[in-house]
Amino acid sequence: MIKVVRLNGEVLYLNYLQILYLESIPETKIKLVNGDFFIVKDSVESVIAQVNRLIGNILMFRDKEADEGKLSHFREV
């Protein structure tokens, strides 16, 4: 999940897999695959940075688990 702040100060946590696109209008508009959209204070760059950090953390966790042999039941494709 990524954390963004609406223009009224309300905090939202969004599933990054549901983001269809980001638009700078100059606020940031986040459109989700279900058609919903949110206007937030966060910049497009900060939203992208959050997604990149999250994906990086997931990959780092996967690599750590693989190094420790905890993912031995998964095969490389």
Side-chain angles (χ1 to χ4, degrees):
M1 300 290 247
I2 61 167
K3 178 183 175 182
V4 293
V5 180
R6 286 181 146 182
L7 297 180
N8 66 3
E10 178 184 352
V11 174
L12 295 173
Y13 294 91
L14 300 175
N15 180 339
Y16 77 98
L17 295 172
Q18 298 299 310
I19 295 174
L20 183 60
Y21 67 79
L22 303 170
E23 184 178 3
S24 183
I25 56 172
E27 300 84 4
T28 299
K29 179 179 180 180
I30 302 174
K31 176 110 181 208
L32 302 181
V33 294
N34 68 358
D36 291 348
F37 68 90
F38 300 97
I39 306 295
V40 299
K41 292 181 181 181
D42 307 79
S43 68
V44 168
E45 294 79 16
S46 72
V47 173
I48 291 170
Q50 283 190 70
V51 171
N52 288 338
R53 275 194 307 273
L54 183 57
I55 292 170
N57 288 340
I58 291 167
L59 294 174
M60 191 171 20
F61 175 77
R62 181 203 63 182
D63 292 344
K64 180 181 174 212
E65 295 290 304
D67 289 345
E68 294 175 1
K70 294 179 181 175
L71 298 178
S72 60
H73 57 283
F74 291 105
R75 290 184 278 158
E76 294 284 331
V77 186

